[in-house]
Amino acid sequence: VSAKGKQLLPVQFTQNLPGEIGFTGIQRNSKYPQVIDPDLLWGTFFDGGNASFDEYLYAIEYSVDSQLVYCAGAVNMQVSVLYTAALSAGADSTFSASTDALIYTLTKDGQFVNNITYLGGSNEDVAIGLALSRSFVYVSGYTTSSDFPITKLSNGGYPAFDSIYHGGNDGFIAVFSPSLDTLLYCSYLGGDGSDKALTVRAIADSVFCISLASQDTLPET
């Protein structure tokens, strides 16, 4: 931004370190500010034209392998019939309560919804964190549902770390297949107080880390 107005600079992206992207070719002039001014490529709503439909989008990740955008949050009702085909193949296709966690995928241009699943029980359920590995989709959040779909040997799943609802807000971690058609693992996290699993990061297919906001005295490992 100069005295003559905005002027373009010959800038290119460069990979400085693994996982770190920078810029090259910038002609630095301390007299004038330099502004990175990105273009909006696309944007979309998800309400299907229903003014009563509320969606809260809390997490988003992009899969390089599938070239899909994964989204997670919460909704207050059944999604529009426009998304029936995508929802029908989900691990849970039925809205259960006043607020259900919702996870879905979009094509990278935002034109199509590919996969959708609910996650929840009979009370409030909210997905806050989202992470991807090569083989799994990890979702974290909080629930007040005593009938949250915790996995046990009796229902054909991997036994949960904690299968007991302790009251109030309990954190949770859930693991899905990439197509969101199978819930592979789901566990409560927390104690008798208020707990919310805010973020999750996939280190590898079998290793992940979670942050938990807690008002409990948690068991030590």
Side-chain angles (χ1 to χ4, degrees), residues 46 53-59 71-76 98-102 104 126-128:
F46 191 77
F53 183 91
D54 292 327
E55 182 204 1
Y56 304 90
L57 178 60
Y58 292 121
C71 303
V75 292
N76 68 335
S98 58
T99 303
D100 260 4
L102 187 74
Y104 60 96
V126 178
I128 303 176

PDB file of all heavy atoms in Angstrom, residues 46 53-59 71-76 98-102 104 126-128:
ATOM      1  N   PHE A  46     -25.862 -24.146   5.100  1.00  0.00           N
ATOM      2  CA  PHE A  46     -26.179 -25.552   5.267  1.00  0.00           C
ATOM      3  C   PHE A  46     -27.613 -25.749   5.767  1.00  0.00           C
ATOM      4  O   PHE A  46     -27.985 -26.824   6.180  1.00  0.00           O
ATOM      5  CB  PHE A  46     -25.192 -26.191   6.264  1.00  0.00           C
ATOM      6  CG  PHE A  46     -25.245 -27.695   6.320  1.00  0.00           C
ATOM      7  CD1 PHE A  46     -24.665 -28.453   5.317  1.00  0.00           C
ATOM      8  CD2 PHE A  46     -25.874 -28.345   7.363  1.00  0.00           C
ATOM      9  CE1 PHE A  46     -24.711 -29.842   5.364  1.00  0.00           C
ATOM     10  CE2 PHE A  46     -25.921 -29.736   7.422  1.00  0.00           C
ATOM     11  CZ  PHE A  46     -25.342 -30.487   6.422  1.00  0.00           C
ATOM     12  N   PHE A  53     -33.659 -23.767  11.171  1.00  0.00           N
ATOM     13  CA  PHE A  53     -32.525 -24.684  11.308  1.00  0.00           C
ATOM     14  C   PHE A  53     -31.297 -23.908  11.761  1.00  0.00           C
ATOM     15  O   PHE A  53     -30.886 -22.935  11.131  1.00  0.00           O
ATOM     16  CB  PHE A  53     -32.252 -25.367   9.966  1.00  0.00           C
ATOM     17  CG  PHE A  53     -31.146 -26.387  10.002  1.00  0.00           C
ATOM     18  CD1 PHE A  53     -31.430 -27.712  10.279  1.00  0.00           C
ATOM     19  CD2 PHE A  53     -29.830 -26.030   9.757  1.00  0.00           C
ATOM     20  CE1 PHE A  53     -30.425 -28.670  10.305  1.00  0.00           C
ATOM     21  CE2 PHE A  53     -28.819 -26.964   9.786  1.00  0.00           C
ATOM     22  CZ  PHE A  53     -29.122 -28.295  10.059  1.00  0.00           C
ATOM     23  N   ASP A  54     -30.728 -24.335  12.884  1.00  0.00           N
ATOM     24  CA  ASP A  54     -29.515 -23.705  13.405  1.00  0.00           C
ATOM     25  C   ASP A  54     -28.381 -24.713  13.393  1.00  0.00           C
ATOM     26  O   ASP A  54     -28.517 -25.816  13.943  1.00  0.00           O
ATOM     27  CB  ASP A  54     -29.718 -23.197  14.838  1.00  0.00           C
ATOM     28  CG  ASP A  54     -30.680 -22.028  14.898  1.00  0.00           C
ATOM     29  OD1 ASP A  54     -30.708 -21.236  13.935  1.00  0.00           O
ATOM     30  OD2 ASP A  54     -31.403 -21.911  15.904  1.00  0.00           O
ATOM     31  N   GLU A  55     -27.268 -24.341  12.775  1.00  0.00           N
ATOM     32  CA  GLU A  55     -26.070 -25.171  12.810  1.00  0.00           C
ATOM     33  C   GLU A  55     -24.933 -24.361  13.406  1.00  0.00           C
ATOM     34  O   GLU A  55     -24.739 -23.198  13.063  1.00  0.00           O
ATOM     35  CB  GLU A  55     -25.649 -25.640  11.417  1.00  0.00           C
ATOM     36  CG  GLU A  55     -24.421 -26.547  11.470  1.00  0.00           C
ATOM     37  CD  GLU A  55     -23.624 -26.568  10.177  1.00  0.00           C
ATOM     38  OE1 GLU A  55     -23.999 -25.866   9.234  1.00  0.00           O
ATOM     39  OE2 GLU A  55     -22.620 -27.277  10.129  1.00  0.00           O
ATOM     40  N   TYR A  56     -24.189 -24.995  14.305  1.00  0.00           N
ATOM     41  CA  TYR A  56     -23.016 -24.363  14.903  1.00  0.00           C
ATOM     42  C   TYR A  56     -21.795 -25.150  14.443  1.00  0.00           C
ATOM     43  O   TYR A  56     -21.622 -26.313  14.802  1.00  0.00           O
ATOM     44  CB  TYR A  56     -23.144 -24.371  16.429  1.00  0.00           C
ATOM     45  CG  TYR A  56     -24.413 -23.704  16.895  1.00  0.00           C
ATOM     46  CD1 TYR A  56     -25.583 -24.441  17.064  1.00  0.00           C
ATOM     47  CD2 TYR A  56     -24.462 -22.337  17.106  1.00  0.00           C
ATOM     48  CE1 TYR A  56     -26.761 -23.819  17.464  1.00  0.00           C
ATOM     49  CE2 TYR A  56     -25.627 -21.704  17.506  1.00  0.00           C
ATOM     50  CZ  TYR A  56     -26.773 -22.457  17.685  1.00  0.00           C
ATOM     51  OH  TYR A  56     -27.945 -21.848  18.066  1.00  0.00           O
ATOM     52  N   LEU A  57     -20.983 -24.525  13.625  1.00  0.00           N
ATOM     53  CA  LEU A  57     -19.809 -25.187  13.056  1.00  0.00           C
ATOM     54  C   LEU A  57     -18.590 -24.807  13.887  1.00  0.00           C
ATOM     55  O   LEU A  57     -18.191 -23.646  13.918  1.00  0.00           O
ATOM     56  CB  LEU A  57     -19.623 -24.759  11.599  1.00  0.00           C
ATOM     57  CG  LEU A  57     -18.406 -25.318  10.868  1.00  0.00           C
ATOM     58  CD1 LEU A  57     -18.449 -26.836  10.816  1.00  0.00           C
ATOM     59  CD2 LEU A  57     -18.316 -24.743   9.459  1.00  0.00           C
ATOM     60  N   TYR A  58     -18.000 -25.788  14.575  1.00  0.00           N
ATOM     61  CA  TYR A  58     -16.903 -25.525  15.497  1.00  0.00           C
ATOM     62  C   TYR A  58     -15.546 -26.035  15.016  1.00  0.00           C
ATOM     63  O   TYR A  58     -14.522 -25.607  15.532  1.00  0.00           O
ATOM     64  CB  TYR A  58     -17.209 -26.147  16.860  1.00  0.00           C
ATOM     65  CG  TYR A  58     -18.356 -25.488  17.577  1.00  0.00           C
ATOM     66  CD1 TYR A  58     -19.478 -26.221  17.948  1.00  0.00           C
ATOM     67  CD2 TYR A  58     -18.335 -24.132  17.875  1.00  0.00           C
ATOM     68  CE1 TYR A  58     -20.543 -25.621  18.599  1.00  0.00           C
ATOM     69  CE2 TYR A  58     -19.396 -23.525  18.523  1.00  0.00           C
ATOM     70  CZ  TYR A  58     -20.494 -24.273  18.889  1.00  0.00           C
ATOM     71  OH  TYR A  58     -21.551 -23.674  19.529  1.00  0.00           O
ATOM     72  N   ALA A  59     -15.536 -26.966  14.067  1.00  0.00           N
ATOM     73  CA  ALA A  59     -14.251 -27.546  13.650  1.00  0.00           C
ATOM     74  C   ALA A  59     -14.294 -27.887  12.172  1.00  0.00           C
ATOM     75  O   ALA A  59     -15.343 -28.262  11.639  1.00  0.00           O
ATOM     76  CB  ALA A  59     -13.934 -28.799  14.469  1.00  0.00           C
ATOM     77  N   CYS A  71     -16.344 -31.352   8.492  1.00  0.00           N
ATOM     78  CA  CYS A  71     -16.908 -30.327   9.364  1.00  0.00           C
ATOM     79  C   CYS A  71     -17.581 -30.990  10.555  1.00  0.00           C
ATOM     80  O   CYS A  71     -18.168 -32.071  10.431  1.00  0.00           O
ATOM     81  CB  CYS A  71     -17.941 -29.482   8.615  1.00  0.00           C
ATOM     82  SG  CYS A  71     -17.320 -28.683   7.117  1.00  0.00           S
ATOM     83  N   ALA A  72     -17.522 -30.337  11.720  1.00  0.00           N
ATOM     84  CA  ALA A  72     -18.155 -30.876  12.921  1.00  0.00           C
ATOM     85  C   ALA A  72     -18.722 -29.748  13.757  1.00  0.00           C
ATOM     86  O   ALA A  72     -18.142 -28.666  13.846  1.00  0.00           O
ATOM     87  CB  ALA A  72     -17.150 -31.697  13.736  1.00  0.00           C
ATOM     88  N   GLY A  73     -19.866 -30.015  14.383  1.00  0.00           N
ATOM     89  CA  GLY A  73     -20.506 -29.015  15.229  1.00  0.00           C
ATOM     90  C   GLY A  73     -21.765 -29.571  15.846  1.00  0.00           C
ATOM     91  O   GLY A  73     -21.788 -30.693  16.357  1.00  0.00           O
ATOM     92  N   ALA A  74     -22.856 -28.794  15.779  1.00  0.00           N
ATOM     93  CA  ALA A  74     -24.119 -29.215  16.373  1.00  0.00           C
ATOM     94  C   ALA A  74     -25.280 -28.599  15.613  1.00  0.00           C
ATOM     95  O   ALA A  74     -25.143 -27.523  15.018  1.00  0.00           O
ATOM     96  CB  ALA A  74     -24.178 -28.809  17.848  1.00  0.00           C
ATOM     97  N   VAL A  75     -26.434 -29.285  15.639  1.00  0.00           N
ATOM     98  CA  VAL A  75     -27.644 -28.786  14.986  1.00  0.00           C
ATOM     99  C   VAL A  75     -28.835 -28.978  15.919  1.00  0.00           C
ATOM    100  O   VAL A  75     -28.788 -29.765  16.860  1.00  0.00           O
ATOM    101  CB  VAL A  75     -27.921 -29.504  13.646  1.00  0.00           C
ATOM    102  CG1 VAL A  75     -26.880 -29.147  12.609  1.00  0.00           C
ATOM    103  CG2 VAL A  75     -27.979 -31.013  13.840  1.00  0.00           C
ATOM    104  N   ASN A  76     -29.918 -28.250  15.632  1.00  0.00           N
ATOM    105  CA  ASN A  76     -31.095 -28.280  16.500  1.00  0.00           C
ATOM    106  C   ASN A  76     -32.280 -29.044  15.913  1.00  0.00           C
ATOM    107  O   ASN A  76     -33.353 -29.072  16.514  1.00  0.00           O
ATOM    108  CB  ASN A  76     -31.537 -26.850  16.830  1.00  0.00           C
ATOM    109  CG  ASN A  76     -32.093 -26.124  15.611  1.00  0.00           C
ATOM    110  OD1 ASN A  76     -31.747 -26.454  14.470  1.00  0.00           O
ATOM    111  ND2 ASN A  76     -32.941 -25.133  15.841  1.00  0.00           N
ATOM    112  N   SER A  98     -32.667 -32.105  21.424  1.00  0.00           N
ATOM    113  CA  SER A  98     -32.687 -30.661  21.188  1.00  0.00           C
ATOM    114  C   SER A  98     -31.438 -30.182  20.469  1.00  0.00           C
ATOM    115  O   SER A  98     -31.482 -29.273  19.650  1.00  0.00           O
ATOM    116  CB  SER A  98     -32.832 -29.919  22.518  1.00  0.00           C
ATOM    117  OG  SER A  98     -31.765 -30.257  23.396  1.00  0.00           O
ATOM    118  N   THR A  99     -30.301 -30.793  20.773  1.00  0.00           N
ATOM    119  CA  THR A  99     -29.040 -30.498  20.071  1.00  0.00           C
ATOM    120  C   THR A  99     -28.282 -31.794  19.872  1.00  0.00           C
ATOM    121  O   THR A  99     -27.997 -32.496  20.840  1.00  0.00           O
ATOM    122  CB  THR A  99     -28.167 -29.515  20.880  1.00  0.00           C
ATOM    123  OG1 THR A  99     -28.894 -28.315  21.126  1.00  0.00           O
ATOM    124  CG2 THR A  99     -26.908 -29.168  20.099  1.00  0.00           C
ATOM    125  N   ASP A 100     -27.973 -32.121  18.640  1.00  0.00           N
ATOM    126  CA  ASP A 100     -27.166 -33.294  18.323  1.00  0.00           C
ATOM    127  C   ASP A 100     -25.854 -32.845  17.674  1.00  0.00           C
ATOM    128  O   ASP A 100     -25.831 -31.875  16.900  1.00  0.00           O
ATOM    129  CB  ASP A 100     -27.890 -34.215  17.336  1.00  0.00           C
ATOM    130  CG  ASP A 100     -28.551 -35.390  18.027  1.00  0.00           C
ATOM    131  OD1 ASP A 100     -28.510 -35.457  19.270  1.00  0.00           O
ATOM    132  OD2 ASP A 100     -29.128 -36.243  17.332  1.00  0.00           O
ATOM    133  N   ALA A 101     -24.785 -33.567  17.969  1.00  0.00           N
ATOM    134  CA  ALA A 101     -23.545 -33.353  17.225  1.00  0.00           C
ATOM    135  C   ALA A 101     -23.761 -33.781  15.778  1.00  0.00           C
ATOM    136  O   ALA A 101     -24.502 -34.727  15.501  1.00  0.00           O
ATOM    137  CB  ALA A 101     -22.406 -34.140  17.844  1.00  0.00           C
ATOM    138  N   LEU A 102     -23.128 -33.054  14.861  1.00  0.00           N
ATOM    139  CA  LEU A 102     -23.246 -33.364  13.432  1.00  0.00           C
ATOM    140  C   LEU A 102     -21.868 -33.313  12.806  1.00  0.00           C
ATOM    141  O   LEU A 102     -21.112 -32.359  13.022  1.00  0.00           O
ATOM    142  CB  LEU A 102     -24.170 -32.360  12.738  1.00  0.00           C
ATOM    143  CG  LEU A 102     -24.501 -32.671  11.272  1.00  0.00           C
ATOM    144  CD1 LEU A 102     -25.491 -33.828  11.196  1.00  0.00           C
ATOM    145  CD2 LEU A 102     -25.096 -31.448  10.570  1.00  0.00           C
ATOM    146  N   TYR A 104     -19.979 -33.930   8.937  1.00  0.00           N
ATOM    147  CA  TYR A 104     -20.264 -34.115   7.515  1.00  0.00           C
ATOM    148  C   TYR A 104     -19.053 -33.722   6.676  1.00  0.00           C
ATOM    149  O   TYR A 104     -18.098 -33.105   7.177  1.00  0.00           O
ATOM    150  CB  TYR A 104     -21.494 -33.315   7.081  1.00  0.00           C
ATOM    151  CG  TYR A 104     -21.406 -31.821   7.280  1.00  0.00           C
ATOM    152  CD1 TYR A 104     -21.011 -30.977   6.247  1.00  0.00           C
ATOM    153  CD2 TYR A 104     -21.757 -31.246   8.492  1.00  0.00           C
ATOM    154  CE1 TYR A 104     -20.951 -29.607   6.426  1.00  0.00           C
ATOM    155  CE2 TYR A 104     -21.703 -29.880   8.677  1.00  0.00           C
ATOM    156  CZ  TYR A 104     -21.302 -29.059   7.645  1.00  0.00           C
ATOM    157  OH  TYR A 104     -21.238 -27.690   7.819  1.00  0.00           O
ATOM    158  N   VAL A 126     -22.653 -31.902  21.597  1.00  0.00           N
ATOM    159  CA  VAL A 126     -21.976 -30.898  20.769  1.00  0.00           C
ATOM    160  C   VAL A 126     -20.576 -31.383  20.417  1.00  0.00           C
ATOM    161  O   VAL A 126     -19.804 -31.774  21.306  1.00  0.00           O
ATOM    162  CB  VAL A 126     -21.876 -29.544  21.503  1.00  0.00           C
ATOM    163  CG1 VAL A 126     -21.131 -28.521  20.649  1.00  0.00           C
ATOM    164  CG2 VAL A 126     -23.265 -29.021  21.865  1.00  0.00           C
ATOM    165  N   ALA A 127     -20.245 -31.379  19.127  1.00  0.00           N
ATOM    166  CA  ALA A 127     -18.889 -31.684  18.669  1.00  0.00           C
ATOM    167  C   ALA A 127     -18.102 -30.390  18.560  1.00  0.00           C
ATOM    168  O   ALA A 127     -18.569 -29.426  17.951  1.00  0.00           O
ATOM    169  CB  ALA A 127     -18.929 -32.394  17.326  1.00  0.00           C
ATOM    170  N   ILE A 128     -16.911 -30.370  19.152  1.00  0.00           N
ATOM    171  CA  ILE A 128     -16.088 -29.158  19.159  1.00  0.00           C
ATOM    172  C   ILE A 128     -14.770 -29.369  18.422  1.00  0.00           C
ATOM    173  O   ILE A 128     -14.303 -28.507  17.687  1.00  0.00           O
ATOM    174  CB  ILE A 128     -15.791 -28.710  20.603  1.00  0.00           C
ATOM    175  CG1 ILE A 128     -17.096 -28.483  21.374  1.00  0.00           C
ATOM    176  CG2 ILE A 128     -14.947 -27.438  20.614  1.00  0.00           C
ATOM    177  CD1 ILE A 128     -16.887 -28.142  22.828  1.00  0.00           C
TER     178      ILE A 128
END
